[in-house]
């Protein structure tokens, strides 16, 4: 339940950030925090803070000044699942995880085009596809 609550908090907090970096994670320092920025001269930042042993990853297209898509993935070092969602989804996906698997094994979409087959544009929500190997 803690993992689900954490992911929901991260997802909600991510809504306030316009342009994060393309991909950021804390896999080298589980439980550590990381900060993403919109890249402006007077940048707006968003810091993700994780519980001990929790790893998180935040990704976006990173191609314009007003990002319309992002994805988030988390797991606990001792846990049995990855959890993920994106700005075009209203669900949290989960995927079985072996003890030694890292974020690279999660195979989370890294762009809106990869997730949906088309880029989401401002004011237009892309139609979400099912994530291969993930369940709701």
């Amino acid at each position: 339940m803690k993992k689900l609550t954490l992911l929901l908090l991260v997802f909600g907090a991510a809504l306030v950030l316009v342009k994060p970096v393309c991909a950021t994670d804390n896999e080298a320092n589980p439980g550590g925090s990381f900060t993403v920025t919109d890249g402006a001269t007077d940048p707006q930042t968003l810091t993700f803070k994780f519980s001990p042993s929790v790893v998180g990853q935040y990704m976006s297209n990173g191609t314009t000044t007003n990002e319309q898509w992002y994805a988030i993935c988390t797991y606990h070092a001792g846990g049995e699942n990855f959890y993920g969602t994106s700005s075009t989804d209203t669900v949290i996906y989960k995927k079985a995880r072996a003890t030694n698997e890292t974020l690279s094994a999660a195979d989370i979409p890294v762009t809106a085009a990869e997730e949906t087959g088309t880029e989401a544009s401002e004011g237009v929500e892309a139609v979400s596809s099912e994530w291969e190997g993930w369940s709701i």
Side-chain angles (χ1 to χ4, degrees):
M1 188 65 177
K2 284 183 179 179
K3 291 182 242 179
L4 182 60
T5 302
L6 174 66
L7 187 59
L8 288 173
L9 288 172
V10 169
F11 179 74
L15 292 174
V16 301
L17 191 62
V18 178
K19 183 184 178 195
V21 296
C22 195
T24 303
D25 66 62
N26 68 335
E27 198 154 51
N29 183 25
S33 63
F34 60 80
T35 301
V36 294
T37 180
D38 63 1
T41 303
D42 184 18
Q44 302 231 359
T45 61
L46 177 63
T47 300
F48 294 86
K49 296 181 180 182
F50 298 92
S51 297
S53 299
V54 174
V55 172
Q57 183 175 39
Y58 182 84
M59 298 156 282
S60 79
N61 290 341
T63 58
T64 68
T65 58
N66 186 8
E67 295 306 321
Q68 297 299 310
W69 183 89
Y70 60 85
I72 300 169
C73 181
T74 64
Y75 72 87
H76 187 279
E80 298 177 352
N81 292 304
F82 292 106
Y83 294 92
T85 193
S86 75
S87 59
T88 57
D89 289 301
T90 58
V91 298
I92 296 173
Y93 296 98
K94 73 177 183 178
K95 181 179 181 180
R97 174 187 170 271
T99 304
N100 62 345
E101 286 185 309
T102 62
L103 288 168
S104 62
D107 197 27
I108 189 170
V110 295
T111 67
E114 183 176 315
E115 180 191 19
T116 64
T118 60
E119 292 287 332
S121 60
E122 190 169 348
V124 178
E125 186 175 316
V127 177
S128 178
S129 65
E130 291 186 35
W131 293 16
E132 186 175 335
W134 291 74
S135 64
I136 297 176

